[in-house]
Amino acid sequence: MTAKTIPWRFLFLMVLVGLNLRPALSSLAPVLNRVQQDTALTPLSIGALTTLPVLCLGLFAPAAPRLSRQFGPERALALSLVVIAAGLLLRWLASPWALFTGTFLVGAGIGVGGALLPALVKRELPRGADLMTGVYTMALCLGGALGAGLSIPLSDWLGGWPPGLAAWSLLAIVALVAWELGMPRTPATPHAPGQTGTGATRGILRQPLTWQIMVFMGAQSSLAYIVFGWLPTLLVKRGYDEAEAGWLMGMSVLVQLISALAAPWLARLGRDQRPALLLGLSFSTIGLCLLLLAGPFWKLPGVVMLGLGQGGSFSLALALIVLRSADSRLAGRLSGLAQGGGYALASLGPFSVGIMLQLDVGIPWITAALVGIATLAAACSWFAGRNRQLAFDEEGRLITR
């Protein structure tokens, strides 16, 4: 793939859309203490608020292939941006029902948009889909870093956390306008045998490889959304002030830019992605332990290790979807199932941390739970990282080759 063969307009639009798929989540965590004080929500309710968008990712990502078939992937992605913008604007009302409803809409929009993009990348950039997934993941990480790092300053500048959270709708509106004006208009590809209806979905679910990718996606995403939802709160419990806790989280997400872009290139050094997957999970685990158990001297190394690990792990999880599927249609179905089931599993992480905080469980026990989640992800990566691919044979049957 050369510079002349890259569709630069699609690449720009992909990055712009990707920037919108994390700020709605990461901008909430730094202001959770303010939200709790102003709305009188209990820690358990706050835990439900941080869990809701992740659960919605799991519920709505499987709907992406159906919406893609009904409206076309381009229109379905535009619809997801409309829903994200509406959910962000609703948060401005600041009441508990508006917060939960807005967060529900945001999660639904991100779930559909996040599941559609890997298939579009596979379609527009078939030869370099795994590498371009790194660029897309880098955009996600940048959006997450901006959301975390600018949440407190925006809230202070705009006079409160409600307009600070709602301000991110402007980015979604800009992306929507740009997507509508410049979205790719590739002719639809005729369905090949075995690629239509629910039979293909059932066939994919019968493949062990699908479940291995799904559980890996869920476990590493659980760690990511615990960081998005609870890391500032956990750092405040350790004695850091609110602004520093938000800054540390933002810095960690910003570091993800490096590994999100580099991980797919590292994975391409061999046909087996297991070494890269295990390296990323090791970095994440060490970073969390340094931040939550070690002294202040280790906070910066911990932030860097956590960022490198999580950026690489998420980028590789998305790259596995395109590497393990033979064409864009399979990539779309696998993306919806892996992200849907994975995010449903991941939602248990932030909710469990909320329960542990409600029960006043100590930081060491919470850290031990996070290490357990990382261990589950490592076990799944050992199988999902092997050189395997879902494909249709000559008779239209789905196989793993």
Side-chain angles (χ1 to χ4, degrees):
M1 186 172 63
T2 65
K4 291 183 179 180
T5 62
I6 297 175
W8 292 104
R9 185 176 66 176
F10 172 75
L11 190 61
F12 169 76
L13 293 171
M14 178 187 72
V15 169
L16 188 57
V17 171
L19 285 174
N20 283 275
L21 302 185
R22 287 299 176 269
L25 308 178
S26 62
S27 61
L28 181 60
V31 296
L32 275 181
N33 288 332
R34 300 183 185 186
V35 171
Q36 188 172 5
Q37 291 169 6
D38 292 349
T39 60
L41 290 172
T42 65
L44 191 58
S45 298
I46 290 291
L49 185 63
T50 61
T51 301
L52 181 60
V54 190
L55 181 60
C56 288
L57 297 182
L59 292 175
F60 287 93
R66 181 181 297 273
L67 291 172
S68 179
R69 290 194 302 271
Q70 185 171 355
F71 301 108
E74 299 86 1
R75 292 297 180 191
L77 188 58
L79 179 62
S80 74
L81 289 171
V82 171
V83 174
I84 292 171
L88 287 167
L89 285 171
L90 195 57
R91 284 176 168 180
W92 200 331
L93 300 180
S95 63
W97 76 265
L99 273 174
F100 277 93
T101 305
T103 301
F104 175 86
L105 291 174
V106 160
I110 293 174
V112 171
L116 287 170
L117 269 177
L120 281 168
V121 172
K122 183 80 171 180
R123 189 190 74 182
E124 297 295 319
L125 301 156
R127 294 184 179 179
D130 54 336
L131 301 183
M132 290 303 104
T133 298
V135 177
Y136 158 57
T137 311
M138 185 180 68
L140 292 181
C141 296
L142 178 58
L146 292 174
L150 297 179
S151 182
I152 295 293
L154 270 177
S155 297
D156 293 341
W157 182 51
L158 296 174
W161 59 265
L165 293 179
W168 293 102
S169 62
L170 295 175
L171 183 60
I173 293 170
V174 169
L176 174 63
V177 172
W179 183 258
E180 280 293 315
L181 293 176
M183 64 181 178
R185 303 182 186 277
T186 303
T189 302
H191 289 275
Q195 290 185 334
T196 60
T198 59
T201 299
R202 288 196 297 268
I204 292 174
L205 286 174
R206 285 195 291 265
Q207 302 297 318
L209 180 59
T210 301
W211 292 92
Q212 293 155 8
I213 296 173
M214 183 188 300
V215 179
F216 171 73
M217 171 69 78
Q220 67 85 26
S221 295
S222 182
L223 290 176
Y225 288 110
I226 288 170
V227 169
F228 276 141
W230 288 114
L231 182 61
T233 301
L234 295 174
L235 292 176
V236 168
K237 283 180 69 71
R238 292 215 63 207
Y240 296 97
D241 62 57
E242 187 183 59
E244 186 178 15
W247 173 79
L248 287 172
M249 175 186 161
M251 182 178 176
S252 172
V253 181
L254 189 62
V255 172
Q256 292 181 19
L257 296 172
I258 302 169
S259 54
L261 187 60
W265 292 90
L266 178 63
R268 269 203 170 191
L269 294 179
R271 296 182 178 181
D272 191 323
Q273 282 76 48
R274 286 178 290 185
L277 290 166
L278 292 173
L279 181 63
L281 289 168
S282 298
F283 273 42
S284 296
T285 306
I286 294 171
L288 284 168
C289 290
L290 289 178
L291 282 171
L292 298 180
L293 299 178
F297 173 79
W298 295 100
K299 65 183 180 183
L300 291 181
V303 159
V304 173
M305 293 286 283
L306 178 62
L308 290 174
Q310 291 203 309
S313 295
F314 185 62
S315 181
L316 288 170
L318 292 179
L320 283 179
I321 292 173
V322 298
L323 286 171
R324 300 296 177 258
S325 49
D327 56 49
S328 63
R329 293 191 183 281
L330 271 175
R333 290 185 179 274
L334 181 59
S335 178
L337 291 171
Q339 294 195 57
Y343 287 136
L345 176 64
S347 67
L348 299 175
F351 187 66
S352 299
V353 171
I355 291 175
M356 286 189 280
L357 289 172
Q358 176 83 21
L359 298 175
D360 203 25
V361 173
I363 296 291
W365 286 106
I366 293 176
T367 306
L370 301 184
V371 172
I373 295 172
T375 303
L376 174 62
C380 293
S381 72
W382 185 256
F383 297 99
R386 296 175 299 171
N387 184 27
R388 303 286 189 274
Q389 191 176 64
L390 298 174
F392 290 102
D393 63 15
E394 294 179 355
E395 298 178 2
R397 295 174 301 186
L398 186 65
I399 59 172
T400 300
R401 65 186 183 192

